[in-house]
Amino acid sequence: NAGVTQTPKFQVLKTGQSMTLQCAQDMNHNSMYWYRQDPGMGLRLIYYSASEGTTDKGEVPNGYNVSRLNKREFSLRLESAAPSQTSVYFCASRTRGGVETQYFGPGTRLLVL
Amino acid sequence: QKEVEQNSGPLSVPEGAIASLNCTYSDRGSQSFFWYRQYSGKSPELIMFIYSNGDKEDGRFTAQLNKASQYVSLLIRDSQPSDSATYLCAVNTGYSSASKIIFGSGTRLSIRP
């Protein structure tokens, strides 16, 4: 049981390049989330998916797209990276009912030059 | 106005004392509330979850919720140096447990020996 996994762990991009951040969970959770965290700041929600086949915008969706490929996987795509997207990206999944818990992946550090 | 607000700190507390962390939120429809601890360079980890008005205790941690005042707090008793971290308040906005979870910017807590 690996929990929430993210790939890659670290990536350097040049302005204008594209890339996809991968996230997978093996806990059979319905809800999955993508956050970004900038230095000294909390987490800001980019997109979330309440269930397979649905996605919704969060607080800062501009410049990103997401795909909920199946129940396990939720990917985040940067079509044309900008230096303002330099950040640490966290994926999370969430239980429903009972003791609610949101589990986080280890994060992806992205540097856009 | 941000949806979830916290004092950024740093909050410095002597070892063995009580640390008190506060959070306010703007959406009156919010149903559940979370406190996360995040060590530098690590993922957030859930330490408390509360959805009913009043107090909820778990070991040295007590979460307090007042929905009328839109206020949630975290008390840490007998503070230890290992409690030094950033504490993030998070709110499940909306009525569904599949709604988005929004984070505050976090409070840095430092426990001095």
Side-chain angles (χ1 to χ4, degrees):
Chain A
N1 188 335
V4 180
T5 57
Q6 291 183 237
T7 56
K9 285 187 170 51
F10 180 71
Q11 183 73 45
V12 179
L13 290 179
K14 294 181 180 178
T15 297
Q17 288 185 316
S18 63
M19 79 162 295
T20 299
L21 281 65
Q22 307 286 353
C23 173
Q25 52 94 7
D26 61 3
M27 296 172 283
N28 201 36
H29 291 166
N30 287 325
S31 299
M32 297 185 73
Y33 304 78
W34 275 107
Y35 293 91
R36 61 176 288 174
Q37 186 172 36
D38 300 308
M41 296 183 69
L43 299 165
R44 290 186 291 171
L45 182 64
I46 304 172
Y47 272 93
Y48 68 108
S49 171
S51 62
E52 184 179 353
T54 68
T55 61
D56 286 287
K57 295 179 180 179
E59 301 170 277
V60 288
N62 291 344
Y64 305 94
N65 285 302
V66 290
S67 295
R68 184 73 183 268
L69 303 170
N70 46 55
K71 193 170 186 178
R72 289 187 64 249
E73 299 172 287
F74 188 37
S75 63
L76 178 71
R77 183 161 179 83
L78 287 71
E79 291 291 351
S80 179
S84 61
Q85 294 177 304
T86 293
S87 190
V88 179
Y89 292 84
F90 288 103
C91 176
S93 69
R94 180 183 176 192
T95 59
R96 287 181 65 177
V99 177
E100 290 208 41
T101 305
Q102 195 179 31
Y103 294 89
F104 282 83
T108 294
R109 292 185 176 275
L110 177 65
L111 175 62
V112 183
L113 300 174
Chain B
Q1 181 191 4
K2 287 192 63 173
E3 291 190 62
V4 181
E5 300 224 36
Q6 296 180 253
N7 187 324
S8 62
L11 176 65
S12 181
V13 172
E15 185 174 354
I18 296 175
S20 177
L21 304 160
N22 304 316
C23 173
T24 58
Y25 60 95
S26 61
D27 186 347
R28 283 198 170 272
S30 299
Q31 295 295 305
S32 50
F33 308 85
F34 308 83
W35 281 100
Y36 287 81
R37 178 175 61 201
Q38 186 178 28
Y39 293 113
S40 181
K42 301 295 186 182
S43 306
E45 55 178 326
L46 182 73
I47 52 174
M48 289 292 286
F49 156 65
I50 187 168
Y51 59 88
S52 298
N53 275 329
D55 295 358
K56 179 181 179 182
E57 188 175 317
D58 184 1
R60 296 187 295 113
F61 298 97
T62 299
Q64 299 174 316
L65 175 61
N66 183 326
K67 289 186 178 180
S69 300
Q70 296 174 245
Y71 175 93
V72 58
S73 65
L74 179 70
L75 301 178
I76 307 174
R77 291 182 299 282
D78 188 23
S79 296
Q80 303 296 310
S82 60
D83 294 326
S84 296
T86 295
Y87 289 80
L88 300 163
C89 172
V91 176
N92 178 47
T93 62
Y95 295 96
S96 165
S97 61
S99 300
K100 58 186 179 181
I101 297 179
I102 300 297
F103 282 76
S105 57
T107 298
R108 278 196 298 128
L109 175 65
S110 175
I111 307 300
R112 57 182 190 270

